[in-house]
Amino acid sequence: INITTPRITLVAVDREMARGMLIAEPPAGALWADDYPTEGSLACATAVMVAIEEGRTDPFGAFCVVRNEDTTTIGDTLFHGPPDDRGTVDIGYGLVPSARGHGYATTAVVAMIAWAFSQGDVTRVTANTTDDNVGSVAVMERAAMSISHGPGGLMRGVALRDSWTPPRSNRPDASPAPH
């Protein structure tokens, strides 16, 4: 699956892309930013390979963040598995340093949340970071997630299907806010 927004497309990572990420060689036809893959990319690729090995076929996997204007891969996003028995999915995200500060991470997180809520069994999306990762905390805030502080500097973002409204400037389909 692909999750498309006006600025980026989240492209599902398949076996070929995961292999390329792990050996730092883009598959045929893929364009990568000079500073891609990142350490986070390796975690995404490993998660994909484990899911394939386990025979998982659900759509809650890893995605490359592809900038639409030049089709360059600039980062990754990840669902840490399918929804649990309470309807919760946890997400992760990361961009190459050269692509940070342009709103791509926020757009990716908003797109992931919106897509997850379009799946019938997801009622809550969470993300975790640490309080010293100011950029990641800001992404969660701009993606309209509620932020809570945990032990040891843990920061958790939560979006609930019944109350989450995507921020106006980052709607995946560029539509106006629901009323």
Side-chain angles (χ1 to χ4, degrees), residues 8-35:
I8 61 167
T9 299
L10 303 180
V11 178
V13 175
D14 60 12
R15 181 189 302 268
E16 180 183 5
M17 179 60 81
R19 182 184 177 285
M21 292 160 73
L22 290 169
I23 64 171
E25 277 186 28
L31 299 174
W32 286 358
D34 290 340
D35 41 355

Side-chain angles (χ1 to χ4, degrees), residues 55-117:
R56 261 189 47 212
T57 58
D58 63 81
F60 294 93
F63 296 82
C64 288
V65 179
V66 178
R67 191 170 43 214
N68 292 342
E69 71 185 48
D70 60 5
T71 66
T72 298
T73 299
I74 58 172
D76 318 283
T77 62
L78 173 71
F79 288 97
H80 292 284
D84 66 15
D85 57 354
R86 297 178 320 194
T88 299
V89 292
D90 190 58
I91 62 171
Y93 49 91
L95 296 179
V96 295
S98 64
R100 294 177 187 160
H102 301 284
Y104 297 121
T106 302
T107 301
V109 170
V110 169
M112 290 181 75
I113 294 169
W115 181 85
F117 287 156

